Amino acid sequence: MSKVYVLDTNVLLQDPYAIFSFKQNEVVIPAVVLEELDSKKRYMDEIGRNARLVSKLIDKLRETGKLHESVPLENGGKLRIELNHRSFNKLQDIFVEKTNDNRILAVAKNLSLEEETKENGSSVILVSKDTLVRVKADAIGLAAEDFLSDRVIEVNDVYSGFLEIYIGKELLDSFYQKGELALSEIAHHPFYPNQFLLLKDALGSSSSALGMVDEKSKFLKKLYHDEDIIWGIKPRNVQQVMAIELLMRPDIPLVTLSGKAGTGKTLIALAAGLLQTEDLQLFKKLLVARPIVPVGKDIGFLPGEKQEKLRPWVQPIYDNLEYLFNTKKPGEIDNILAGMSSVEVEALTYIRGRSIPEQYIIIDEAQNLTKHEVKTILTRVGERSKIVLMGDTAQIDHPYLDEYNNGLTYVIEKFKDQAAAGHVKLMKGERSGLAQLAADIL
């Protein structure tokens, strides 16, 4: 039996192509949703872009029929703009105010009641990214779902960038002696390019080894930078060793790092960037940026020039730079950076339209980027540049993103089988014992 899906505004603002995600069922967009889209279309950020894109998609569908009667979709479903069923009589005793959310609920509820009177009526489901709207729907006996089609992966299936594998002691000894091991000797299932393998003795001894998959040669190879100390930073755990390997490898232009707060993502990335820019001079500039949530939104009425306005947003980056430069006095890091034209701290608001060649680019808090925004950033990367995206997918401030549909997760999953990219999830907090405890239990 076909179903009727009533879409909330936030679903379309998150994914403009959501109307094509419900297979051979009917998609209903209440008139109030069009009003909300109209109010957002002038925004100069991702929300405004999506509002304009949805408007164009719906306008294109007008060519195939009358929207208020329903028009066919290319996936076999139908789309209808609901102008009727707006009566608030059924809900006026429950929800006093006629807010837009309540008006959408009213449309869905009235449609549901009408379908129940039919002999073979369809089930009506309200689809919303808003938790409270789904709670309200449940309270009035209306089926409600979150929109999950925009998720890159399913729960508990996030790529970590490394595997623990138990092998025989003789294979471990061979890896130590030769510095490489054929992947076919380790396991018969496929591995991802630049994936780390933590080899352990199958018999239970303390012997272990760490290597990286070379997809081209089909060998597991010893790390080049496993003993490196970069700008005074020494890795404290095995995932940090993996991260340094990726950050220092010239043949891996895209690196993604994920992990809880305090795992050292920003500090290690900055140290690797400074070493390769200042000391080794492999890049002309180190560009460090982070999104102002949401990306593209005006940064507000903070006093001062651009750099003064940006300072509160990029202060976490300055905190790590102060540690790396071992500054003691207030404002000392500003004087150091003023004399280093090769280091630039910026906000992502200004990245659109740029081309960034021969630079080491670090994008912090990338979990607050949408798929479109992260595509915009990666397509700015020029020749001989390296870009690092990092963040904690469990700490998302964007109203329409979650752990499974944000830009960082999107890049991790889409690039995991590409030889030009590498990823590692940092597991252990190193900021302090209290910070690790807070990250675990809060």
Side-chain angles (χ1 to χ4, degrees):
M1 184 176 67
S2 64
K3 299 176 182 178
V4 177
Y5 290 94
V6 181
L7 304 191
D8 195 355
T9 314
N10 48 48
V11 174
L12 298 173
L13 290 176
Q14 164 61 24
D15 183 1
Y17 294 95
I19 55 179
F20 304 109
S21 301
F22 297 93
K23 300 181 180 178
Q24 297 178 344
N25 296 297
E26 184 173 22
V27 175
V28 172
I29 300 178
V32 63
V33 169
L34 297 183
E35 293 177 17
E36 288 197 306
L37 290 173
D38 185 61
S39 69
K40 301 285 194 298
K41 69 182 182 183
R42 293 176 181 81
Y43 288 11
M44 298 307 295
D45 56 11
E46 183 75 1
I47 299 223
R49 171 195 171 271
N50 287 347
R52 293 189 294 273
L53 181 52
V54 171
S55 303
K56 292 176 182 177
L57 289 173
I58 296 176
D59 184 51
K60 184 72 174 175
L61 291 170
R62 286 196 309 116
E63 299 174 4
T64 61
K66 296 181 178 180
L67 292 172
H68 68 277
E69 293 179 355
S70 82
V71 295
L73 299 175
E74 58 188 25
N75 61 352
K78 296 184 293 183
L79 173 73
R80 172 160 55 104
I81 304 298
E82 185 53 62
L83 302 177
N84 302 314
H85 300 89
R86 294 179 296 170
S87 172
F88 209 70
N89 292 336
K90 301 291 183 182
L91 300 184
Q92 62 185 0
D93 294 334
I94 304 172
F95 304 122
V96 178
E97 294 187 25
K98 290 186 179 181
T99 63
N100 287 343
D101 284 348
N102 292 341
R103 290 164 68 190
I104 294 170
L105 283 167
V107 170
K109 182 62 176 177
N110 292 332
L111 275 172
S112 179
L113 293 173
E114 182 182 89
E115 291 295 326
E116 288 174 5
T117 63
K118 300 178 181 178
E119 184 176 348
N120 294 311
S122 303
S123 56
V124 177
I125 301 167
L126 176 63
V127 183
S128 176
K129 300 293 293 181
D130 190 326
T131 306
L132 288 179
V133 168
R134 298 198 301 270
V135 170
K136 285 181 178 181
D138 186 71
I140 60 175
L142 183 64
E145 296 178 358
D146 190 3
F147 180 66
L148 303 178
S149 296
D150 61 336
R151 289 190 169 186
V152 185
I153 49 160
E154 294 302 320
V155 181
N156 299 325
D157 195 26
V158 182
Y159 177 57
S160 65
F162 63 90
L163 282 175
E164 285 189 8
I165 294 183
Y166 290 86
I167 61 174
K169 185 69 164 57
E170 66 281 359
L171 288 178
L172 268 175
D173 293 338
S174 175
F175 182 70
Y176 272 116
Q177 293 169 6
K178 299 178 181 178
E180 63 180 25
L181 196 61
L183 294 175
S184 58
E185 295 186 74
I186 300 172
H188 294 293
H189 62 76
F191 297 101
Y192 292 111
N194 304 323
Q195 187 174 24
F196 293 97
L197 301 185
L198 183 57
L199 305 178
K200 294 187 175 182
D201 185 3
L203 297 178
S205 73
S206 59
S207 298
S208 64
L210 179 63
M212 177 189 276
V213 172
D214 185 334
E215 180 66 17
K216 190 174 182 179
S217 67
K218 302 297 180 183
F219 271 80
L220 179 72
K221 295 193 173 183
K222 186 180 178 182
L223 305 188
Y224 293 109
H225 304 280
D226 56 335
E227 296 181 0
D228 286 9
I229 299 176
I230 50 176
W231 267 60
I233 301 299
K234 183 177 181 181
R236 293 186 177 184
N237 57 61
V238 67
Q239 282 81 33
Q240 289 189 354
V241 172
M242 298 174 190
I244 288 175
E245 179 74 13
L246 293 176
L247 293 167
M248 295 297 297
R249 288 279 291 266
D251 57 329
I252 305 176
L254 171 61
V255 176
T256 51
L257 303 177
S258 64
K260 296 177 182 177
T263 49
K265 304 181 296 294
T266 306
L267 185 65
I268 292 175
L270 283 171
L274 286 167
L275 176 65
Q276 294 174 78
T277 303
E278 291 297 310
D279 298 352
L280 304 180
Q281 296 187 347
L282 299 176
F283 303 94
K284 290 184 177 179
K285 184 178 288 187
L286 170 62
L287 172 62
V288 190
R290 61 182 295 166
I292 294 171
V293 183
V295 174
K297 185 84 170 177
D298 185 359
I299 59 178
F301 297 98
L302 296 174
E305 299 299 323
K306 185 184 79 169
Q307 290 302 321
E308 293 174 287
K309 288 177 179 287
L310 292 178
R311 190 55 182 260
W313 299 102
V314 297
Q315 186 59 46
I317 296 171
Y318 280 93
D319 292 342
N320 283 281
L321 288 171
E322 286 174 354
Y323 180 84
L324 289 171
F325 283 99
N326 194 28
T327 59
K328 304 294 183 182
K329 301 176 182 178
E332 188 176 352
I333 188 64
D334 295 290
N335 296 329
I336 293 173
L337 294 179
M340 296 173 62
S341 59
S342 59
V343 179
E344 180 181 352
V345 180
E346 188 61 274
L348 282 179
T349 308
Y350 306 103
I351 201 168
R352 187 182 296 277
R354 294 182 62 181
S355 181
I356 312 174
E358 299 182 63
Q359 296 188 26
Y360 196 102
I361 309 160
I362 298 175
I363 308 296
D364 200 7
E365 302 293 337
Q367 78 277 6
N368 283 320
L369 298 172
T370 66
K371 297 175 187 177
H372 173 73
E373 287 162 348
V374 84
K375 179 181 177 180
T376 299
I377 292 166
L378 289 178
T379 53
R380 299 298 100 203
V381 179
E383 289 289 338
R384 297 181 298 280
S385 282
K386 186 183 183 84
I387 185 167
V388 182
L389 299 173
M390 55 192 180
D392 178 6
T393 56
Q395 292 187 350
I396 293 178
D397 305 308
H398 195 290
Y400 299 139
L401 299 180
D402 61 32
E403 188 174 354
Y404 307 104
N405 71 356
N406 63 84
L408 178 59
T409 300
Y410 183 56
V411 173
I412 291 169
E413 289 300 313
K414 290 296 184 181
F415 278 87
K416 66 184 180 183
D417 55 357
Q418 300 295 318
H423 170 68
V424 64
K425 181 179 181 180
L426 283 76
M427 309 297 290
K428 186 179 178 183
E430 299 291 353
R431 182 171 289 161
S432 67
L434 176 59
Q436 175 62 26
L437 184 63
D440 289 338
I441 68 175
L442 295 181

